[in-house]
Amino acid sequence: MQPATAKPPLTILLAGPRGFCAGVDRAIQIVERALERFGRPVFVRHEIVHNRFVVESLEAKGAVFVDELDEVPDDRPVVFSAHGVPKSVPAEAGRRELLYVDATCPLVSKVHRESERHHAAGRTVILIGHRGHPEVIGTMGQLPPGKVVLVEDVAQAETLTVADPENLAYATQTTLSVDDTTGIVAALRRRFPSIQGPKVEDICYATTNRQAAVKAIAARCDALVVIGAPNSSNSMRLVEVARNYGCPRATLLRRASEIDWGWLDGVSRLGVTAGASAPEALVDELIAACRARYDVTIEEARVTEEDTVFKLPRALVA
Ligand code: SF4
């Protein structure tokens, strides 16, 4: 017979890979190195990555987050976020002779260069992505206004009209749902057979791996928590993937303090993952909160190992 105080059992299926990707890690290091090198304050245009915990810890070290360059004084350095910026932003920083460091993820920069290459070859670029996301604004801003057409879903791909259907290319936001994007690309290829696209999908390794890890555990979970931010595209996609792959009770939490414990009633197997901009400390915090109420067993379910590391900009390592 169990003692009256015994905690109920809870198995946590920990998806792997999860959490920080190489692009987020690099962007945070860029702000930290800039603070060491230039002193405080260092200005950062937009959230460096989509996570309040990260932003607040950098603020505590002397970073100041702003929406636009006109909030940056002439004599202080500014860092551009990992999501990338339209060409007009470094151009304006150059005009003002600001000291700037670009923390755009190299995998986003790769999409920028592809789009420029297609434009130079006379192709209209169709960008698959979410309207208003900073990465989409940055990628569209690599080309002159009107030269990138945004497509958000299969319905738009099916009804899109273009002036020259023989001269088209597509690129994608890096943090989309792999499955949704496959459907959109298939519709574009069927309607425009000569459309050019990337040899390897623009959806990045980190997004792909985190979605694969959730697919591997979703059907075995009674509920699943994604640690991440509502404005983080890759985190929101993980919630959708969990729901689509057998775990309808999936939710996003910024951190453990947001959990509604009643939501876990009847749950004996809880899946846990984290978006690419969420630090592992927040996963640890959730597990600790669960341990306070449950007799927790951890099962790690890792689908692949990651060893991608991106170099820091030369200006910060010399
Ligand atoms: S999610 Fe992918 S594209 Fe975005 S910063 Fe991470 S590695 Fe780069």
Side-chain angles (χ1 to χ4, degrees):
M1 203 170 141
Q2 284 191 332
T5 55
K7 295 175 188 169
L10 180 70
T11 299
I12 292 183
L13 285 163
L14 209 45
R18 63 180 174 278
F20 274 8
C21 59
V24 163
D25 197 45
R26 174 178 180 270
I28 294 168
Q29 279 193 60
I30 285 174
V31 178
E32 289 175 341
R33 293 276 187 112
L35 282 160
E36 282 167 22
R37 178 153 298 200
F38 307 119
R40 45 166 71 199
V42 164
F43 286 76
V44 183
R45 183 183 176 276
H46 291 181
E47 287 192 333
I48 185 76
V49 300
H50 281 153
N51 189 280
R52 282 311 300 165
F53 182 86
V54 171
V55 166
E56 283 165 15
S57 61
L58 290 172
E59 278 174 341
K61 293 176 185 174
V64 175
F65 290 85
V66 295
D67 289 332
E68 291 306 336
L69 276 190
D70 57 16
E71 298 165 67
V72 180
D74 289 339
D75 60 348
R76 294 310 305 163
V78 59
V79 177
F80 304 147
S81 82
H83 308 100
V85 289
K87 271 201 154 72
S88 56
V89 173
E92 171 63 6
R95 190 193 64 74
R96 285 181 55 197
E97 298 182 358
L98 294 178
L99 176 58
Y100 68 87
V101 187
D102 189 353
T104 302
C105 175
L107 299 182
V108 175
S109 298
K110 180 170 148 278
V111 178
H112 291 179
R113 300 295 80 79
E114 279 170 14
S115 302
E116 284 182 315
R117 187 172 56 79
H118 288 305
H119 177 62
R123 300 181 192 111
T124 299
V125 176
I126 297 170
L127 177 64
I128 303 170
H130 297 292
R131 187 177 300 281
H133 188 279
E135 184 185 324
V136 166
I137 293 169
T139 301
M140 294 184 81
Q142 299 307 302
L143 302 188
K147 296 298 180 187
V148 181
V149 181
L150 183 65
V151 164
E152 296 187 271
D153 53 30
V154 171
Q156 289 180 6
E158 292 289 2
T159 53
L160 179 71
T161 53
V162 287
D164 184 359
E166 297 302 315
N167 263 316
L168 286 181
Y170 73 85
T172 82
Q173 192 179 331
T174 57
T175 51
L176 299 178
S177 151
V178 172
D179 296 343
D180 292 352
T181 307
T182 301
I184 298 169
V185 169
L188 290 174
R189 285 198 181 283
R190 185 177 44 71
R191 293 196 58 221
F192 309 108
S194 55
I195 194 169
Q196 306 271 309
K199 284 196 187 72
V200 179
E201 283 304 327
D202 293 325
I203 296 176
C204 75
Y205 79 97
T207 299
T208 306
N209 290 345
R210 279 149 193 70
Q211 290 179 18
V214 167
K215 287 176 188 177
I217 63 167
R220 291 191 282 143
C221 300
D222 304 314
L224 187 141
V225 169
V226 178
I227 297 286
N231 57 349
S232 158
S233 171
N234 80 85
S235 301
M236 294 306 293
R237 300 296 80 77
L238 292 176
V239 176
E240 292 167 6
V241 167
R243 290 178 181 158
N244 290 341
Y245 280 77
C247 186
R249 204 189 312 186
T251 195
L252 183 89
L253 296 179
R254 273 178 276 242
R255 58 192 306 174
S257 55
E258 289 185 346
I259 199 162
D260 168 5
W261 294 103
W263 183 80
L264 284 185
D265 280 352
V267 169
S268 62
R269 293 172 77 77
L270 175 67
V272 174
T273 187
S277 43
E280 185 68 6
L282 298 183
V283 173
D284 293 341
E285 186 185 78
L286 177 67
I287 293 171
C290 290
R291 283 194 197 284
R293 290 164 180 81
Y294 295 91
D295 179 11
V296 170
T297 305
I298 305 276
E299 276 182 32
E300 178 124 19
R302 180 165 289 276
V303 294
T304 187
E305 298 295 333
E306 291 179 344
D307 56 7
T308 305
V309 178
F310 296 130
K311 283 187 197 152
L312 293 176
R314 214 173 297 156
L316 293 177
V317 286

